[in-house]
Amino acid sequence: QIDGGKVLFRYYSPSAKTVTIAGDFNGWEYKQDQSRAIYLKPNDKYIWSAAVPLSPGRYRYKVVIDYQSWILDSNNPLTEDDGTGNLNSLIIVK
């Protein structure tokens, strides 16, 4: 969801201990010791979310669960191949 220059990322997971977003916009950083890692915070219904300011452009990204499982964003049907056969979620900010 895009709202006022921020992208709201959401992911449902009752079993995750950490959920991060890694992509073109943060150098694909996802670990605790990486300064640009974007952490989602859970609510009481296990919906993890974070609002991220992004400039206009096209961005590839993935959701990272517990620092090891890289998955497509199930809330976003847009995807793009990175040129090596690896599919990433795609967001276009206008």
Short mmCIF file of all heavy atoms in Angstrom, two decimals, residues 40-49:
data_model
loop_
_atom_site.label_atom_id
_atom_site.label_comp_id
_atom_site.label_asym_id
_atom_site.label_seq_id
_atom_site.Cartn_x
_atom_site.Cartn_y
_atom_site.Cartn_z
N LEU A 40 9.87 -5.14 10.37
CA LEU A 40 8.44 -4.99 10.53
C LEU A 40 8.11 -5.33 11.98
O LEU A 40 8.77 -6.17 12.59
CB LEU A 40 7.69 -5.92 9.57
CG LEU A 40 7.62 -5.46 8.11
CD1 LEU A 40 8.97 -5.47 7.44
CD2 LEU A 40 6.64 -6.31 7.33
N LYS A 41 7.09 -4.67 12.52
CA LYS A 41 6.68 -4.91 13.90
C LYS A 41 5.31 -5.57 13.89
O LYS A 41 4.43 -5.17 13.13
CB LYS A 41 6.62 -3.59 14.67
CG LYS A 41 7.99 -2.97 14.84
CD LYS A 41 7.91 -1.70 15.64
CE LYS A 41 9.32 -1.10 15.75
NZ LYS A 41 9.33 0.15 16.45
N PRO A 42 5.11 -6.56 14.78
CA PRO A 42 3.82 -7.26 14.79
C PRO A 42 2.78 -6.56 15.66
O PRO A 42 3.12 -5.90 16.64
CB PRO A 42 4.18 -8.62 15.40
CG PRO A 42 5.30 -8.31 16.34
CD PRO A 42 6.08 -7.19 15.67
N ASN A 43 1.50 -6.74 15.29
CA ASN A 43 0.43 -6.32 16.17
C ASN A 43 -0.12 -7.57 16.88
O ASN A 43 0.43 -8.67 16.71
CB ASN A 43 -0.66 -5.53 15.42
CG ASN A 43 -1.42 -6.37 14.41
OD1 ASN A 43 -1.36 -7.61 14.40
ND2 ASN A 43 -2.15 -5.70 13.54
N ASP A 44 -1.19 -7.43 17.63
CA ASP A 44 -1.71 -8.57 18.39
C ASP A 44 -2.41 -9.62 17.53
O ASP A 44 -2.79 -10.67 18.02
CB ASP A 44 -2.63 -8.09 19.51
CG ASP A 44 -3.82 -7.29 19.00
OD1 ASP A 44 -3.87 -6.97 17.80
OD2 ASP A 44 -4.70 -6.98 19.82
N LYS A 45 -2.53 -9.34 16.23
CA LYS A 45 -3.13 -10.30 15.30
C LYS A 45 -2.09 -10.91 14.36
O LYS A 45 -2.42 -11.46 13.32
CB LYS A 45 -4.25 -9.63 14.50
CG LYS A 45 -5.41 -9.23 15.38
CD LYS A 45 -6.54 -8.65 14.58
CE LYS A 45 -7.70 -8.46 15.51
NZ LYS A 45 -8.21 -7.16 15.58
N TYR A 46 -0.81 -10.78 14.74
CA TYR A 46 0.32 -11.36 13.99
C TYR A 46 0.50 -10.74 12.61
O TYR A 46 1.06 -11.37 11.72
CB TYR A 46 0.19 -12.88 13.87
CG TYR A 46 -0.03 -13.56 15.19
CD1 TYR A 46 -1.28 -14.10 15.50
CD2 TYR A 46 0.99 -13.65 16.12
CE1 TYR A 46 -1.49 -14.73 16.71
CE2 TYR A 46 0.79 -14.27 17.34
CZ TYR A 46 -0.45 -14.81 17.62
OH TYR A 46 -0.65 -15.42 18.83
N ILE A 47 0.04 -9.52 12.44
CA ILE A 47 0.28 -8.80 11.19
C ILE A 47 1.48 -7.89 11.43
O ILE A 47 1.42 -6.97 12.25
CB ILE A 47 -0.94 -7.99 10.74
CG1 ILE A 47 -2.11 -8.95 10.47
CG2 ILE A 47 -0.61 -7.16 9.49
CD1 ILE A 47 -3.42 -8.27 10.20
N TRP A 48 2.55 -8.20 10.73
CA TRP A 48 3.79 -7.44 10.84
C TRP A 48 3.71 -6.30 9.84
O TRP A 48 3.28 -6.48 8.70
CB TRP A 48 4.96 -8.34 10.50
CG TRP A 48 5.14 -9.51 11.42
CD1 TRP A 48 4.36 -10.63 11.48
CD2 TRP A 48 6.15 -9.67 12.40
NE1 TRP A 48 4.83 -11.47 12.44
CE2 TRP A 48 5.93 -10.92 13.02
CE3 TRP A 48 7.23 -8.89 12.80
CZ2 TRP A 48 6.76 -11.39 14.03
CZ3 TRP A 48 8.05 -9.37 13.81
CH2 TRP A 48 7.81 -10.60 14.42
N SER A 49 4.18 -5.09 10.22
CA SER A 49 4.10 -3.97 9.29
C SER A 49 5.19 -2.94 9.55
O SER A 49 5.74 -2.85 10.65
CB SER A 49 2.72 -3.31 9.36
OG SER A 49 2.50 -2.77 10.64
#
